[in-house]
Amino acid sequence: MQRESNTEYSGLVELINIENNLNNYNNYIVDKCFNQLKMPRTCIDFGAGIGTLSKIIKIKYNISPIYIQVVEKNITYLSERKSKSYIKIEDFKPFIDLIFFSNLSKYIKNVASN
């Protein structure tokens, strides 16, 4: 896991394994979200990893999500897949219907307990 003391960890190997081996799980996550919503026209995949869930969103729902990713190795991987990513939501200004994120809770600092 990436921490202040270990900023080199990107999770890239794990993300590739998840993409290659957890198809049912990945589809379930996307369907769980999209089946509860009015179909968005635009979507940001916040913490996109390597774009696994976005690929499903594009195929199933014909939406091309905008990738937000801060981990350099994952940005490079997305670039090799011909996917442009942004580092901050502010880098992409047009109106967005949906901000989608999954499996990020371990990275979000609990500020409510402070």
Side-chain angles (χ1 to χ4, degrees):
M1 179 184 293
Q2 189 172 23
R3 302 169 198 226
E4 289 178 30
S5 62
N6 181 15
T7 59
E8 295 300 314
Y9 176 77
S10 70
L12 185 59
V13 172
E14 290 83 357
L15 290 170
I16 292 169
N17 286 332
I18 288 169
E19 180 174 83
N20 292 332
N21 298 305
L22 295 176
N23 292 328
N24 289 339
Y25 172 74
N26 294 330
N27 277 282
Y28 173 79
I29 290 172
V30 170
D31 290 342
K32 186 80 170 162
C33 174
F34 278 76
N35 289 337
Q36 297 180 38
L37 300 170
K38 177 182 168 195
M39 195 53 58
R41 293 167 299 181
T42 56
C43 172
I44 285 180
D45 185 349
F46 187 82
I50 59 171
T52 300
L53 300 179
S54 286
K55 189 163 60 169
I56 295 168
I57 292 169
K58 186 172 186 172
I59 291 168
K60 284 186 150 184
Y61 299 101
N62 199 29
I63 298 168
S64 295
I66 290 100
Y67 299 93
I68 303 292
Q69 181 53 255
V70 298
V71 177
E72 191 61 41
K73 285 184 181 178
N74 297 348
I75 291 169
T76 300
Y77 194 90
L78 286 168
S79 179
E80 291 168 359
R81 288 182 140 180
K82 310 288 189 249
S83 300
K84 179 157 178 55
S85 61
Y86 298 84
I87 294 175
K88 299 182 288 187
I89 288 178
E90 294 84 9
D91 291 340
F92 190 80
K93 298 282 185 178
F95 179 79
I96 298 298
D97 293 328
L98 173 69
I99 298 175
F100 178 86
F101 68 94
S102 179
N103 301 319
L104 291 178
S105 61
K106 61 186 170 229
Y107 301 108
I108 299 172
K109 184 177 179 180
N110 185 354
V111 294
S113 63
N114 293 337

